[in-house]
Amino acid sequence: MAKPQRRKTLKRSAGRVGYGLPTVLAVALHLGILVISVIKWPSSEPEAPNNAIVQATLISTETRTDQAQQAAEARTRAAERQAQEEAERQAQEEAERQAREAAEQQAAEEAERQAAEQQAQQEAEQQAREEAAEQAQAEAERRAAEAEAAAQRKAEEEAEREAARQQAEQERQAEAERRRQEEAARQQEAERQAREEAEQQVREEAERKAQEEAERQAREEAERKAQEEAERQAREEAERKAQEEAERQAREEAERKAQEEAERQAREEAEQKAREEAERQAREEAERKAQEEAERQAREAAEQKAREEAERQLQRIIEGDSSAVSNAEQGNEAANGFIQLVRRAVEQAWVIPPNVGDGTTAEVQVRLGPSGEVFAATVTRSSGNAAFDNSAIQAVESAAPFTELRDLPSGVQRDYRQFNLRFRPGDIR
């Protein structure tokens, strides 16, 4: 956010500086031949074999005019640049503060949302467990009611069979009584008809009938006992089956509850492990972000320190000797310091793509404005890797503007407004 504003400010400053150039050039024409004979073109340093960014190729020169006027203009531009940099620094600090507040607010909202989701999930699981328990209890009650109803039906059937047996017994007794009455009537009739028969025959007949009656009663008693025994066995069998059914249901219920308890424990253990894993990942993510933030701050501090050191060196060169404006050798030293500063700034901003060989090389032509802003950055010699070429251009744009250009002697500023940079991974990988 701060960089576009900074570039706009630099462009406005460049416009103000550019209005005085025609007048300066008109005066400089009179001294052109003399100045050209005095000025020594600044030479670039020899290329180091492992440097990532190397030489600058100069393309133009500009003659120097009145030294006092140029020194005054340099002081004015330095004051304006300091004011602009202070305003830019304040704007950048304000933007960073707003970004931090927004990030903290977003993190708090995300934590609240996750807590709400976790609580809702726990409530849903609790409700599901309660519903399952209610269903299990209702199923047990239903089975108990069915067992009780079956037992009641068996008891009613047993009572009905007992009533039918008693009724049949009463009917048999009534039939026997009727037969006895008929037999007595026949005996009376026979006695009336055969009173003369001997008492011996009567006794024998009576004994025979008594024996028959005893046998019949014995048979009836045996039948009754057999029926009662069968009914007792049937009752015992029914009770045994009912008890076995109740025991089976109890075993199934216990097994079901044990399985549900095991599943609940396994589910709770899985949830606990998931929570612990999420907490561990959150801690690791927080530690990683804190480490990255510390590394970024250290890197920014180192970059800022290097830039300030380079600026101080340039300032010492500019302010150290009043004759530096006219001394071509000191101007060459300041210009070379500017090139070194550009190299360091671009190297620090360069993000090398992955899987790039050490021998990959690309050249980028850079054209600057009067205040060090980048007018154009184009690839003059491609590496054959589009990602590598784009990373080189992005490094130049990210490192710009190079406001230190304004600190150079005005006579050599135009010489360093266009140069070539060669990018090679080398030692900075």
Side-chain angles (χ1 to χ4, degrees):
M1 180 181 295
K3 185 170 288 185
Q5 181 67 27
R6 185 178 180 185
R7 290 182 177 177
K8 291 179 181 178
T9 306
L10 292 174
K11 287 180 180 180
R12 290 196 297 268
S13 175
R16 290 196 298 270
V17 175
Y19 290 140
L21 289 177
T23 302
V24 174
L25 291 175
V27 176
L29 290 176
H30 298 283
L31 301 175
I33 298 174
L34 179 61
V35 170
I36 291 173
S37 63
V38 174
I39 294 176
K40 182 194 298 183
W41 293 95
S43 60
S44 60
E45 295 181 353
E47 177 182 349
N50 288 327
N51 281 345
I53 303 173
V54 291
Q55 66 186 26
T57 302
L58 308 181
I59 63 169
S60 63
T61 61
E62 182 180 5
T63 60
R64 293 185 296 275
T65 60
D66 184 69
Q67 297 179 357
Q69 181 179 357
Q70 291 177 354
E73 290 177 355
R75 286 193 296 271
T76 303
R77 286 194 299 272
E80 291 177 354
R81 180 175 58 80
Q82 290 178 356
Q84 291 171 359
E85 290 177 352
E86 180 65 21
E88 291 169 1
R89 185 185 62 77
Q90 293 179 357
Q92 185 175 3
E93 290 178 354
E94 178 64 20
E96 291 175 353
R97 184 187 62 77
Q98 293 178 359
R100 284 196 302 273
E101 292 178 355
E104 292 174 356
Q105 178 66 21
Q106 184 177 1
E109 293 175 356
E110 179 66 17
E112 292 177 357
R113 182 184 65 77
Q114 291 180 356
E117 290 178 356
Q118 185 176 5
Q119 183 177 3
Q121 183 178 3
Q122 292 176 355
E123 292 177 354
E125 292 176 355
Q126 180 65 23
Q127 185 176 2
R129 288 195 294 270
E130 292 177 355
E131 291 178 356
E134 292 177 356
Q135 290 177 359
Q137 184 177 2
E139 180 66 17
E141 292 177 353
R142 182 183 65 77
R143 290 181 179 179
E146 289 178 355
E148 185 178 357
Q152 186 174 2
R153 285 195 300 272
K154 289 181 180 179
E156 291 176 354
E157 292 175 358
E158 181 66 22
E160 289 177 357
R161 286 196 297 271
E162 181 66 19
R165 186 186 64 74
Q166 291 178 359
Q167 185 177 1
E169 180 66 22
Q170 291 176 359
E171 291 177 355
R172 284 196 298 274
Q173 291 178 359
E175 179 66 20
E177 182 65 24
R178 184 180 63 77
R179 288 179 181 179
R180 283 195 299 274
Q181 290 178 0
E182 291 178 354
E183 184 65 23
R186 284 196 298 273
Q187 289 177 0
Q188 289 176 2
E189 182 66 23
E191 288 175 358
R192 286 194 302 270
Q193 293 177 356
R195 277 194 191 107
E196 289 99 2
E197 291 182 356
E199 294 178 357
Q200 184 62 32
Q201 292 179 352
V202 172
R203 285 196 300 273
E204 290 177 356
E205 183 66 20
E207 290 174 358
R208 183 184 61 78
K209 290 181 178 180
Q211 186 176 1
E212 292 177 352
E213 178 65 19
E215 292 175 354
R216 183 186 63 77
Q217 290 180 357
R219 284 195 304 274
E220 291 178 353
E221 181 67 18
E223 292 175 356
R224 183 183 64 77
K225 289 182 179 181
Q227 185 175 3
E228 290 178 352
E229 179 65 18
E231 292 174 352
R232 183 187 63 76
Q233 291 179 356
R235 283 195 304 274
E236 291 178 352
E237 181 67 17
E239 292 174 355
R240 183 183 62 78
K241 289 183 178 180
Q243 184 176 1
E244 290 177 352
E245 178 65 20
E247 292 175 353
R248 183 186 63 79
Q249 291 179 358
R251 283 195 305 273
E252 291 178 353
E253 180 68 17
E255 292 174 357
R256 184 185 61 78
K257 289 182 178 180
Q259 184 176 2
E260 291 178 353
E261 178 65 19
E263 292 175 354
R264 182 187 65 79
Q265 292 179 355
R267 190 167 53 252
E268 291 179 352
E269 184 176 354
E271 293 172 355
Q272 179 66 22
K273 289 183 178 178
R275 286 194 297 270
E276 293 176 353
E277 179 65 19
E279 292 174 355
R280 184 186 64 77
Q281 291 179 356
R283 285 195 304 272
E284 291 179 354
E285 181 67 16
E287 292 174 356
R288 184 184 63 79
K289 289 183 177 179
Q291 185 177 2
E292 290 177 353
E293 178 65 19
E295 292 175 354
R296 183 188 64 79
Q297 292 178 357
R299 190 168 55 253
E300 291 178 353
E303 293 173 0
Q304 180 65 22
K305 186 175 181 181
R307 185 181 290 270
E308 291 175 354
E309 180 63 23
E311 291 178 353
R312 284 195 297 271
Q313 290 178 0
L314 288 176
Q315 191 68 24
R316 285 196 299 269
I317 293 172
I318 293 171
E319 296 177 355
D321 193 346
S322 60
S323 63
V325 176
S326 61
N327 192 323
E329 186 175 353
Q330 290 182 355
N332 182 27
E333 183 180 355
N336 288 334
F338 170 72
I339 287 297
Q340 293 298 327
L341 188 144
V342 170
R343 284 179 177 176
R344 286 195 296 270
V346 174
E347 285 178 357
Q348 291 170 358
W350 189 17
V351 179
I352 304 175
N355 301 325
V356 175
D358 291 342
T360 306
T361 304
E363 290 190 3
V364 176
Q365 185 182 80
V366 181
R367 188 160 58 90
L368 303 179
S371 298
E373 67 274 18
V374 175
F375 279 175
T378 56
V379 176
T380 58
R381 180 179 297 176
S382 175
S383 64
N385 186 332
F388 186 84
D389 295 346
N390 292 333
S391 70
I393 294 177
Q394 291 174 0
V396 174
E397 293 176 349
S398 298
F402 305 103
T403 57
E404 295 80 8
L405 178 65
R406 296 179 301 183
D407 297 333
L408 294 177
S410 60
V412 296
Q413 283 185 9
R414 290 184 60 86
D415 296 337
Y416 286 88
R417 285 178 56 183
Q418 182 166 330
F419 49 86
N420 293 335
L421 296 176
R422 185 164 61 193
F423 289 77
R424 182 173 58 196
D427 294 338
I428 69 168
R429 177 179 297 276

